Amino acid sequence: MAMANNCPAPISVTSNGSWDGDSPLHHALPLIILQICLVVVVTHGLAFLLRPMRQPRVVAEIIGGILLGPSALGRNERFMSNVFPKQSLTVLDTLANIGLIFFLFLVGLELDVHSLRRTGKGALAIALAGITLPFALGIGTSFVLSSTIVKGTRQAPFLVFMGVALSITAFPVLARILAELKLLTTDLGRMAMSAAAVNDVAAWVLLALAIALSGSGSPIVSLWVLLTGIAFLAGVVIFVRPVLHWMAHRTTEGEPIKESYVCATLVIVLAAGFATDAIGIHALFGAFVIGVVVPKDGPFAGILIEKIEDLVTSLFLPLYFVSSGLKTNVATISGGRSWGLLVLVITNACIGKILGTIVSALLAKIPVREAVTLGFLMNTKGLVELIVLNIGRDRKVLNDETFAIMVLMALFTTFITTPIVMAIYKPARRAPPYKHRTVERSDMDSEFRVLACFRSDRNVATMISLVECSRGTRRRSLTVYAMHLMELSERSSAISMVHKSRRNGLPFWNKASGCGNADQLVIAFEAYRQLSSVTLRPLTAISDLDTIHEDIIASAQRKRASLIILPFHKVQRMDGTLESTGHAYHLVNQRLLRRAPCSVAILIDRGLGGTTQVPSSEVSFEVAVLFFGGPDDREALAYGARMAEHPGILLTVLRFSPSVTNPQDLEQDEECIANFRARMASSSAAEEGSARYEEVEAEDRVKIIAAIKGLLRRYNLFLAGRSPAAIPLVERTDCAELGPVGSYLASPEFSTVASVLVIQRYDPKADALNTTEAASEAGDATVYDVPDTPLALVTPESSVRGKGNGGSQTP
C-alpha cells in the first residue's frame, strides 16, 4: 500500500477551467494542445530564419527540438515542469509515434520499387560504396565508444546501430536540397536521387537487423524475430497487396475516392504497425511496408497522400523531433574526451560517406568536381537517422551522452551540405547570345520558339488552343516548349512529383517508362504534338515559388525562346469572376516581366476553345488586337499577324487614335501598321477576308471603353500590349503589371468569356541592366543551367547530352 501511495495519480484529460481555479497545464488535453502549438511555432519560425541559408526544414526541426529540450529552454525547471512535465511525455511520445507511423507510410508510398529495378550500375555502385565504407567506420567507431562512454552495452546490436547511423542518406531531405540548389533535374541530381533511394532501402533492412539483435540478447529470440519478420512480409504480399490492388483499380481518375477505401487503408496501416511491434521489430516497419506495396499506378496513392500528409507532416511529425530533442542533453557532452569523441564521430561519418562515394563515382568515370559534390550530397542525414538513434536509446543500446553526440553529428552533416555544395559546385554559365528574342522580326520565315508555362489542367486546353492559333502556315516553323511548373514544398507529395518527373530518366508523362500512370495534365499536349506539325517538347520545373522564375529564365535562354507565355495568377470561377491562386504566383509573373530574356505574354484564361481540345480542322476563333501605339503594342500586332495566317482565325486590328506617344514611337507605329497592311494585302488573308484593319477615334476613357465593349460579342481572344500609349482605363487595380489596358481587360467589368493575352516586348536595355544585377548577386554566373526533362522517346528530335553542365539539351 505504501508503494501504491507513492505512485503519481493518473493525469485527467480535461480541466474544469481557469475560472474554477483549475490549471489547464495539469491536464492531458490542454497540455498537449499547448505543446503542439509551441512546437509548430518554434520549428516553423526557425525554418523561416534558416530559409536564406537554403537549409531544409528538418534542420530547423532538429534544432527546435534541442532548444525546447534540456539543452536550452529545458534548463529552466519551471518551464519543463509546466510545459513538458514527465507525466505528459508518454502522451507526447505516443502522438509523435502515431505521426511517425503514418509518415513512414507516406515514405513507402513515395518509394517506387520498379524505379529501383531500373537503377543504373553507376548509381548502384555509388550507393553500395556509400554504405559499405561508413558502415565499416561506424563499427570501428563503436569499439572506441564502447571502451570509453558506452561501457557495458551489448556489443553486437551497438555495432550494427553505429554502422547504420553513419551509413544513412536521407532521401527526402536530399531531394529538397537538390531542388533548392537547382540540381534536381541535372544528371548529378538524378544520380544522387537514385543512389539515395537504394541507400534508403538498405538502411531500412539494416535497421530491422539492428532492432532484431537489440532484443533480449538471446540468439534464438533474434532468429525468431527475423523469421517472423520475413513471414510478415510474405503475408503482406500474399494477402494484403491484392486487397490494396483491388481498391486501387476501383478508384477512377477524376472521381472522389470512397471513404471506406481510405478508412480500410488506414486501419491496415495501423494493424501492420501492431503486427511488427508484436514481432519485436517496430511499429513503423509495418506502416512502411504497406506504403511500399500500395499500387503506384492510377490516382489511389496520390489521393491517399493528399488525405493525410498535411496533418501528419505539419502537426504530428515535428512532435517526433521535439520528442528527440527532449532526450538530447548537450550538457552530457562535457570535457575534452567527450568533445573529442564528437569530432571523431563526425569525422568518421563524413570520411566514410564522402570518400566511399567519391571513389566509386571516379571509378564510374564521373568528373572530379561532380564526384566530390556527390559525396557531400550523399552525406545528408534526416529523419531516418533520428529514428535509428531513438530506437537505440529506447532499447538501452545508446546512453544519453552517445545519443547527444549522434544527434549533433546528424545535425552537423546535414547543415553543411548546402553551403559546401554551393561553394564547390556552381552549375551556372553565362547564357549564349541569340538573335530572335521577339515575335516581331525582319525574317518572318525563321523558326518561332515559344516557352508555354502551365500550372494545372485548367490552363492546358486554352494553352493548346493558343498554340494552334500561333502555328502559322509554315511547316515546323513553330517549336513549343511546354513547361509544367511544380511547386516543391515540404510536403511528402512533392517528392512523389520528383519520382514522376525523373522515373527512368524519362518525362513524367511518358507511358514508355513502364509506369502506366501517365500524368493527365499533359496527355493532351502529347496528343496534340502527334496530330499536328508543331514541334512540342516537354519540360519540367520543380522548385520553390520564390526561385522558380530562375528555372523559366534559364530554360528560355537555353532554348532561345522568342516568347514566354505565363498563366495569369487568377483563374476563372463558375460565376465568371477571377479568383487569385496565391500571391506567390503573382510575384512569379512580376519577376519574369522584369528579368525575362525575351518577350513575355500573360494569358488571362477564360476558356479559349472550351474545356476540351479543339481539332485543327475545327478551329474558328476571332481575334482582336487593340493597338494604341508603343513597342508592346507593336509586338502584340506582330503576334496577331502570325495568328492571321491560320485559316481558322479572323483577325481584326483596332487602332485607337490619337495615341499618347512620342514622335519616334509614332513613326515606328506608322511603319509597323503599314507593313502589317501590306503583308495582309499580299497574302491569302486578304482574299479570304480573315484580316481587317479599323481605326477608332477615342479621345477619352469612356469612348475607349465603349469601343472595346462593342467588340465583346464577336471576339474570343484579345491581344494587347502591356505598356501602350494609352490612358488608364480603370481607376484602381491590383494587377498593375498588366498595364493600363490589360488591367481593364482582366476586370469582370470587361468580360467573363473572352480570353486575353497581354504582351510585353523584350527590351535589350532593361535586360542588360538585369543581367548586370544578377551577375553581381551570383558572382560569375548569370543564369542557372537547369537541364530539362530528357526528350528520348518523346519527340523525334535527338537528345544531346552537354558536358560539365549536368546534361543540358541542345535545342
Side-chain angles (χ1 to χ4, degrees):
M1 294 294 296
M3 291 182 62
N5 291 334
N6 291 332
C7 293
I11 185 171
S12 60
V13 178
T14 58
S15 70
N16 296 324
S18 300
W19 294 109
D20 201 22
D22 194 5
S23 173
L25 299 180
H26 296 160
H27 302 273
L29 181 61
L31 184 58
I32 193 64
I33 291 174
L34 174 65
Q35 291 170 347
I36 292 174
C37 293
L38 181 63
V39 167
V40 170
V41 170
V42 170
T43 55
H44 282 70
L46 287 171
F48 177 78
L49 294 176
L50 293 174
R51 194 169 186 179
M53 302 174 66
R54 296 189 175 185
Q55 292 294 332
R57 198 173 73 182
V58 65
V59 171
E61 289 171 334
I62 295 176
I63 294 176
I66 293 175
L67 292 179
L68 291 174
S71 302
L73 293 176
R75 300 175 70 88
N76 186 320
E77 293 184 4
R78 186 175 180 181
F79 172 81
M80 286 297 289
S81 61
N82 283 285
V83 181
F84 293 104
K86 289 184 179 180
Q87 64 268 27
S88 72
L89 297 184
T90 302
V91 178
L92 179 65
D93 287 343
T94 303
L95 272 181
N97 278 277
I98 289 176
L100 181 66
I101 287 173
F102 284 110
F103 182 77
L104 264 295
F105 171 65
L106 294 177
V107 172
L109 283 175
E110 294 173 0
L111 189 63
D112 185 4
V113 179
H114 296 292
S115 65
L116 289 179
R117 294 175 184 172
R118 296 188 297 269
T119 300
K121 294 181 180 179
L124 183 61
I126 290 172
L128 294 178
I131 294 173
T132 306
L133 185 56
F135 192 88
L137 287 177
I139 292 177
T141 306
S142 68
F143 285 110
V144 177
L145 294 176
S146 60
S147 63
T148 52
I149 61 175
V150 199
K151 295 180 180 179
T153 188
R154 287 169 290 165
Q155 194 65 34
F158 184 60
L159 295 178
V160 180
F161 268 102
M162 288 298 298
V164 173
L166 266 64
S167 60
I168 285 174
T169 295
F171 173 79
V173 178
L174 177 61
R176 291 176 178 116
I177 290 177
L178 289 170
E180 286 286 345
L181 299 179
K182 304 295 182 186
L183 298 175
L184 191 59
T185 54
T186 64
D187 282 348
L188 181 70
R190 291 195 295 272
M191 182 73 74
M193 291 293 287
S194 299
V198 175
N199 193 299
D200 222 24
V201 174
W204 288 113
V205 174
L206 293 173
L207 179 56
L209 175 63
I211 293 174
L213 294 174
S214 65
S216 63
S218 170
I220 301 297
V221 172
S222 298
L223 179 61
W224 274 112
V225 170
L226 289 175
L227 291 177
T228 50
I230 295 173
F232 168 79
L233 291 175
V236 168
V237 173
I238 296 172
F239 300 108
V240 179
R241 188 181 181 189
V243 176
L244 294 171
H245 271 268
W246 180 81
M247 291 190 292
H249 290 155
R250 291 177 64 89
T251 303
T252 308
E253 184 75 46
E255 295 184 3
I257 188 173
K258 289 185 179 181
E259 182 184 354
S260 58
Y261 292 174
V262 177
C263 182
T265 304
L266 297 182
V267 170
I268 290 173
V269 171
L270 293 175
F274 175 82
T276 51
D277 190 79
I279 290 171
I281 306 178
H282 196 285
L284 59 88
F285 278 97
F288 177 73
V289 170
I290 298 299
V292 171
V293 300
V294 168
K296 306 304 187 292
D297 300 343
F300 187 64
I303 294 174
L304 287 176
I305 289 175
E306 291 178 1
K307 291 284 185 181
I308 64 177
E309 66 175 343
D310 286 334
L311 183 65
V312 170
T313 57
S314 298
L315 287 182
F316 290 133
L317 192 60
L319 295 181
Y320 191 80
F321 291 96
V322 171
S323 177
S324 302
L326 294 174
K327 303 170 188 174
T328 305
N329 189 356
V330 179
T332 58
I333 308 175
S334 59
R337 185 183 69 174
S338 294
W339 287 105
L341 291 173
L342 174 62
V343 173
L344 174 67
V345 169
I346 292 176
T347 303
N348 284 350
C350 294
I351 288 178
K353 201 70 176 179
I354 297 171
L355 186 61
T357 302
I358 290 175
V359 171
S360 58
L362 292 177
L363 292 177
K365 298 182 179 180
I366 295 177
V368 176
R369 189 180 65 164
E370 282 79 357
V372 175
T373 304
L374 196 59
F376 280 98
L377 288 171
M378 295 298 290
N379 197 35
T380 303
K381 308 296 182 185
L383 177 65
V384 183
E385 175 85 6
L386 286 184
I387 293 173
V388 172
L389 300 179
N390 276 285
I391 293 175
R393 188 181 184 280
D394 294 339
R395 297 292 179 104
K396 309 298 182 184
V397 176
L398 305 177
N399 60 19
D400 290 347
E401 187 174 355
T402 310
F403 181 80
I405 287 174
M406 299 302 293
V407 169
L408 292 182
M409 179 272 293
L411 178 63
F412 178 81
T413 53
T414 305
F415 189 88
I416 65 172
T417 299
T418 299
I420 289 181
V421 170
M422 290 177 65
I424 64 177
Y425 187 76
K426 297 178 179 179
R429 60 179 171 84
R430 293 190 179 275
Y434 63 97
K435 180 179 179 182
H436 297 304
R437 295 176 181 259
T438 60
V439 180
E440 184 183 17
R441 60 189 67 177
S442 56
D443 181 13
M444 297 304 296
D445 292 328
S446 59
E447 183 184 25
F448 181 44
R449 298 190 172 203
V450 177
L451 179 63
C453 303
F454 64 100
R455 296 191 297 264
S456 67
D457 56 352
R458 305 184 69 161
N459 307 126
V460 172
T462 297
M463 199 69 75
I464 291 177
S465 297
L466 191 61
V467 170
E468 172 61 25
C469 296
S470 309
R471 68 181 175 90
T473 57
R474 302 172 183 84
R475 181 171 177 81
R476 300 187 64 81
S477 64
L478 173 64
T479 298
V480 177
Y481 298 93
M483 174 173 276
H484 190 184
L485 305 180
M486 291 181 168
E487 179 187 6
L488 186 88
S489 66
E490 293 293 341
R491 299 173 64 178
S492 178
S493 59
I495 309 303
S496 297
M497 291 193 297
V498 175
H499 267 303
K500 282 185 178 182
S501 64
R502 305 315 321 168
R503 187 177 282 114
N504 200 26
L506 298 177
F508 61 95
W509 58 80
N510 189 339
K511 293 182 179 180
S513 62
C515 56
N517 60 333
D519 197 303
Q520 296 299 315
L521 291 179
V522 286
I523 288 178
F525 274 117
E526 179 63 13
Y528 175 74
R529 183 193 67 81
Q530 294 176 358
L531 296 174
S532 69
S533 60
V534 175
T535 302
L536 194 146
R537 299 183 178 183
L539 310 179
T540 307
I542 306 176
S543 186
D544 188 272
L545 291 183
D546 289 339
T547 59
I548 202 168
H549 65 281
E550 297 175 4
D551 300 65
I552 301 173
I553 291 171
S555 291
Q557 289 183 312
R558 191 171 53 258
K559 300 304 182 185
R560 304 200 297 273
S562 302
L563 180 68
I564 299 174
I565 300 178
L566 300 171
F568 191 42
H569 73 280
K570 294 182 179 181
V571 295
Q572 191 169 31
R573 299 193 304 182
M574 294 297 291
D575 60 359
T577 59
L578 295 175
E579 180 182 36
S580 176
T581 56
H583 186 58
Y585 289 108
H586 193 185
L587 294 177
V588 170
N589 289 356
Q590 291 179 346
R591 294 185 188 109
L592 276 163
L593 287 170
R594 288 196 301 268
R595 298 180 54 186
C598 60
S599 296
V600 179
I602 296 180
L603 174 62
I604 303 167
D605 182 6
R606 293 191 176 105
L608 179 65
T611 57
T612 59
Q613 181 180 344
V614 180
S616 301
S617 59
E618 299 179 12
V619 168
S620 179
F621 298 140
E622 296 193 30
V623 180
V625 177
L626 306 182
F627 191 92
F628 291 86
D632 294 347
D633 277 23
R634 294 196 293 272
E635 188 76 347
L637 179 59
Y639 195 24
R642 183 179 183 88
M643 288 184 171
E645 297 175 1
H646 193 290
I649 300 298
L650 173 62
L651 176 72
T652 299
V653 177
L654 197 67
R655 184 180 187 185
F656 294 85
S657 59
S659 59
V660 186
T661 184
N662 58 56
Q664 183 178 359
D665 273 340
L666 183 59
E667 181 179 346
Q668 294 179 1
D669 292 343
E670 294 293 343
E671 182 181 356
C672 180
I673 291 291
N675 291 338
F676 167 75
R677 300 184 70 175
R679 181 182 173 190
M680 291 298 102
S682 62
S683 67
S684 60
E687 300 175 4
E688 299 171 0
S690 60
R692 295 198 298 262
Y693 174 79
E694 300 177 12
E695 292 191 359
V696 177
E697 293 289 338
E699 300 180 354
D700 56 20
R701 184 167 67 92
V702 176
K703 291 183 179 180
I704 294 175
I705 291 176
I708 295 175
K709 280 189 173 181
L711 305 172
L712 284 181
R713 295 181 181 179
R714 296 164 48 192
Y715 294 97
N716 307 96
L717 177 66
F718 285 83
L719 303 182
R722 182 196 173 203
S723 302
I727 59 176
L729 302 184
V730 290
E731 295 181 358
R732 299 179 62 182
T733 178
D734 59 347
C735 308
E737 74 277 5
L738 297 180
V741 176
S743 298
Y744 171 70
L745 299 180
S747 65
E749 177 188 348
F750 167 64
S751 174
T752 59
V753 294
S755 297
V756 179
L757 203 64
V758 179
I759 301 177
Q760 172 184 276
R761 181 188 174 93
Y762 168 70
D763 185 359
K765 296 180 181 178
D767 185 49
L769 180 61
N770 290 329
T771 300
T772 304
E773 293 176 355
S776 64
E777 293 175 2
D780 312 275
T782 301
V783 331
Y784 285 102
D785 183 17
V786 188
D788 306 307
T789 307
L791 305 177
L793 303 180
V794 178
T795 57
E797 291 76 19
S798 61
S799 175
V800 182
R801 186 178 296 266
K803 295 181 180 180
N805 60 5
S808 60
Q809 274 76 45
T810 302

